[in-house]
Amino acid sequence: MTGPKVNAPPPDSCWRVQVAAPAEEEKAKEMRDAAISQLLIPMVIDLEKGLYKVRSRDCMSGAAADALRKRAASSGFAGAFRFIGSRP
């Protein structure tokens, strides 16, 4: 007997991590710089729906994104989460 089917993302998915989404661009720049300094990975700001979303720049595996999310949370980015993003 098999378990329920889960709509898992394709193995070549582009996982990214979002660490913040302030409404002010200057606050987003400060948070991006802090994330780069603390997490040691490239971060970008994506303007979406009126928010400046601070996110990892590059694609990674789901496991790597989850590990980064955990590191971000323990570094003070409490609302960090992983998501399937578009390839740059």
Side-chain angles (χ1 to χ4, degrees):
M1 185 171 179
T2 62
K5 289 188 177 186
V6 176
N7 290 333
D12 63 343
S13 293
C14 176
W15 286 96
R16 294 172 63 200
V17 175
Q18 180 171 310
V19 298
E24 303 84 26
E25 185 176 13
E26 285 305 312
K27 181 70 174 171
K29 288 178 181 178
E30 291 171 9
M31 296 187 89
R32 178 202 55 206
D33 293 346
I36 290 169
S37 175
Q38 293 176 24
L39 302 174
L40 303 174
I41 64 160
M43 302 293 285
V44 296
I45 298 171
D46 294 329
L47 178 59
E48 251 181 41
K49 299 179 183 176
L51 296 175
Y52 294 90
K53 298 182 178 187
V54 181
R55 298 171 165 170
S56 58
R57 182 190 69 191
D58 301 325
C59 294
M60 60 190 83
S61 70
D66 195 45
L68 177 60
R69 180 197 58 78
K70 289 176 184 174
R71 271 188 27 221
S74 68
S75 295
F77 299 98
F81 63 91
R82 70 181 192 156
F83 66 100
I84 296 178
S86 58
R87 294 195 177 274

